[in-house]
Amino acid sequence: MKPARFDYVRAETLAEAHAVLASEGGDAIVIAGGQSLVPLLSMRMARPGVLVDIMHVADLGGIVIKDDAIRVGATVRQAQLLAWPELAAHQPLLALALPFIGHAQTRARGTVCGSAALADPSAEIPLALVALGGEIELSAAAGKRQLAAKEFFNGLMSTSRNDDELIEAVHFPRTRPGDGYAFIEFARRHGDFAIVACAAMADAQGVRLAVGGVADFPTARDFGPLDGAALDEAIEDFAFDLEARDDLHANAAYRRELVRQLGRKTIDEARRCRV
Amino acid sequence: MPRLTADRHHRVRFTLNGRPVEGDAEPRMLLTDFLRHVLGQTGTHVGCEHGVCGACTVEIDGAPARACLMLAVQADGMTLRTVEGLAPEPGRLSVLQDAFRRHHALQCGFCTPGILMSLDIYLRGHASPTEAEVRDFLSGHLCRCTGYVPVVAAALDAAAKLREAAGDA
Ligand SMILES: Cc1cc2nc3c(=O)[nH]c(=O)nc-3n(C[C@@H](O)[C@H](O)[C@H](O)COP(=O)(O)OP(=O)(O)OC[C@H]3O[C@@H](n4cnc5c(N)ncnc54)[C@H](O)[C@@H]3O)c2cc1C
Ligand code: FES
Ligand code: FES
């Protein structure tokens, strides 16, 4: 349970971080909060040649309110976003979901962007990005690009980020008047990764449900104004389309049942929360 | 910053419990091992070594952190506190430590340094926590002995004592 050898570079500027990532190919990786990467290093499931510590790059920080989104920079820790006094006013779903990420002791170091980069299928931040239709801002020495969350997450712990790119920020769309949000997570113990997590968002047009912990990556579906038995049936289809698998924590049938029950409950709650 | 190469030891300096300390570490050395083996500060315990149990929790720049999820080289230049820094003077316990003793909030004591560090930081920012808030915060720590009930009682008792002391001042 000790990491294999690697070089360590504490980048002071974005250009420095980009340069190391560009010159080493896939052998260099970013370390941010380290809350997922250090265990992977210790278990030797990750064996990079170089670690690039980005936490001292001054211009990667900050929570910025844009016209229609909140931009969260790469060095912003989960605890910092959760403690931001304006969070619930600008995006209630984040205020609901962030307390479920690990524990206070891991949120104090883990970053928001690091969670997006890891792309764990059960993770709350990727789920919120998919539910809200958020965006991921990537940059490399070669240039910048911005991707929609549903294009970014593309497989089990896999994203469309290239090896030389880092996530500079993620963008969470801001709430609009009349939107309602709800978040429900089922895990064995508080702070564990979710077995199933549901996020719902309701507006005048209808409702969207996003589910984490079932498919390889968080997945959203729009249900429009559907309600009653028709909604239950549509959620049933969704639950099957997610192609749940059996694992140590729960079997596929159980996960589907959680999607049916919790999905419906989350949608109903989001609709009630519309003001 | 220069690249710290894998095959060499590099000087790491930080502030530990108010004093400057330094030692040599390979980039891959975990902060837990640096504290215990290089600096000889064995108060910080190591349980799971992958972030789950909380035994290794220390304070880094004012916030709780798993020392096993950090590299020693990452801590360079930072300000750390460990369980060795809690007692105000030799032979005298802090308010929180004393509450742990009175409530029997430790049995084997393996989890205790981490829990003490977490709660010490928490009570600084939350003078009047509810039982539910303390339990939520303690979810980041595993204790196989106490069943948590005396730990929660000690935390609430310490909070009350600290409020009294602050009121007197
Ligand atoms: C006990 C425990 C419980 C946890 N429970 C949960 C939970 O319930 N839900 C949850 O979502 N997470 C959970 N986590 C993981 C969470 O704490 C991590 O913070 C998060 O997954 C990764 O963020 P990080 O900043 O720590 O990234 P790191 O660990 O530093 O990095 C993770 C990965 O992302 C890459 N990376 C990081 N930042 C960037 C960037 N800006 N650009 C490109 N690549 C980058 C790294 O190269 C690495 O591959 C838990 C962790 C622990 C230890
Ligand atoms: S030893 Fe660090 S959390 Fe268990
Ligand atoms: S006192 Fe033994 S593990 Fe907590």
Side-chain angles (χ1 to χ4, degrees):
Chain A
M1 290 287 287
K2 305 288 179 193
R5 292 200 168 92
F6 47 76
D7 289 1
Y8 170 86
V9 181
R10 184 183 279 194
E12 268 148 26
T13 63
L14 191 53
E16 226 173 81
H18 283 154
V20 182
L21 291 176
S23 64
E24 307 285 330
D27 211 26
I29 61 172
V30 168
I31 182 163
Q35 302 301 290
S36 295
L37 182 56
V38 177
L40 292 172
L41 292 170
S42 286
M43 291 184 266
R44 302 200 177 192
M45 287 158 73
R47 293 192 67 156
V50 192
L51 282 191
V52 188
D53 186 347
I54 60 167
M55 296 306 283
H56 300 267
V57 177
D59 38 355
L60 279 182
I63 302 167
V64 181
I65 304 170
K66 315 275 270 188
D67 285 346
D68 50 8
I70 308 165
R71 180 186 189 272
V72 180
T75 60
V76 175
R77 307 203 192 257
Q78 293 144 15
Q80 189 187 340
L81 183 59
L82 188 56
W84 183 44
E86 294 175 64
L87 184 65
H90 289 293
Q91 188 36 264
L93 182 63
L94 290 176
L96 294 171
L98 290 177
F100 286 89
I101 306 174
H103 311 280
Q105 296 83 356
T106 63
R107 292 193 296 269
R109 296 207 70 77
T111 62
V112 175
C113 290
S115 176
L118 188 74
D120 189 286
S122 293
E124 290 80 3
I125 287 165
L127 175 62
L129 282 165
V130 167
L132 297 169
E135 301 200 344
I136 288 85
E137 195 182 322
L138 295 164
S139 73
K144 292 185 69 141
R145 60 183 178 135
Q146 197 155 317
L147 288 180
K150 68 173 196 289
E151 286 150 41
F152 180 73
F153 300 107
N154 63 7
L156 187 66
M157 307 199 73
S158 156
T159 70
S160 36
R161 184 180 65 81
N162 297 322
D163 287 342
D164 65 338
E165 286 177 316
L166 57 80
I167 299 184
E168 212 172 302
V170 290
H171 297 245
F172 297 99
R174 287 167 59 189
T175 182
R176 292 155 310 169
D179 287 357
Y181 300 89
F183 179 84
I184 298 179
E185 168 164 326
F186 182 81
R188 290 273 176 228
R189 292 165 307 187
H190 178 68
D192 283 6
F193 273 98
I195 291 179
V196 170
C198 294
M201 183 182 149
D203 62 16
Q205 276 69 53
V207 69
R208 174 188 298 161
L209 175 67
V211 173
V214 184
D216 286 349
F217 46 89
T219 309
R221 185 169 290 180
D222 289 316
F223 293 95
L226 281 184
D227 207 342
L231 177 59
D232 284 334
E233 251 171 64
I235 296 174
E236 165 87 0
D237 291 342
F238 186 34
F240 272 98
D241 292 345
L242 291 171
E243 298 186 359
R245 281 189 297 244
D246 297 343
D247 68 17
L248 228 56
H249 305 289
N251 65 25
Y254 182 55
R255 282 204 160 84
R256 275 196 297 276
E257 182 61 11
L258 285 171
V259 173
R260 284 186 208 106
Q261 301 293 334
L262 299 182
R264 180 64 202 249
K265 219 168 134 183
T266 316
I267 287 179
D268 289 347
E269 201 173 308
R271 282 184 165 149
R272 274 199 303 277
C273 291
R274 286 196 58 213
V275 279
Chain B
M1 192 196 180
R3 182 165 176 148
L4 305 183
T5 48
D7 53 347
R8 302 277 289 269
H9 285 76
H10 305 273
R11 190 109 287 221
V12 173
R13 299 180 177 83
F14 51 75
T15 304
L16 179 64
N17 300 320
R19 287 181 304 117
V21 293
E22 55 185 292
D24 293 331
E26 285 181 83
R28 64 169 166 163
M29 181 176 252
L30 300 176
L31 179 59
T32 35
D33 291 335
F34 187 77
L35 287 169
R36 293 174 57 87
H37 303 156
V38 178
L39 300 179
Q41 302 288 300
T42 52
T44 300
H45 289 173
V46 182
C48 64
E49 219 170 41
H50 61 270
V52 176
C53 74
C56 67
T57 304
V58 299
E59 177 178 330
I60 298 177
D61 289 345
R66 309 291 207 217
C68 74
L69 296 189
M70 193 148 160
L71 305 168
V73 291
Q74 278 179 291
D76 190 61
M78 296 184 177
T79 301
L80 278 73
R81 273 175 86 231
T82 58
V83 70
E84 288 92 346
L86 285 184
E89 60 191 63
R92 221 178 102 211
L93 296 178
S94 73
V95 171
L96 180 65
Q97 287 171 311
D98 189 53
F100 264 59
R101 194 174 63 86
R102 281 183 290 107
H103 288 271
H104 301 281
L106 62 152
Q107 289 176 28
C108 78
F110 198 86
C111 65
T112 313
I115 295 187
L116 285 172
M117 291 317 293
S118 261
L119 285 174
D120 187 77
I121 300 163
Y122 183 71
L123 294 179
R124 253 181 1 231
H126 303 82
S128 313
T130 62
E131 179 177 338
E133 285 164 350
V134 169
R135 284 187 178 275
D136 180 64
F137 191 74
L138 284 173
S139 76
H141 292 274
L142 296 180
C143 174
R144 302 310 304 252
C145 302
T146 63
Y148 304 98
V149 172
V151 178
V152 175
L156 293 171
D157 186 358
K161 291 249 166 7
L162 289 167
R163 280 197 305 276
E164 264 170 48
D168 290 348

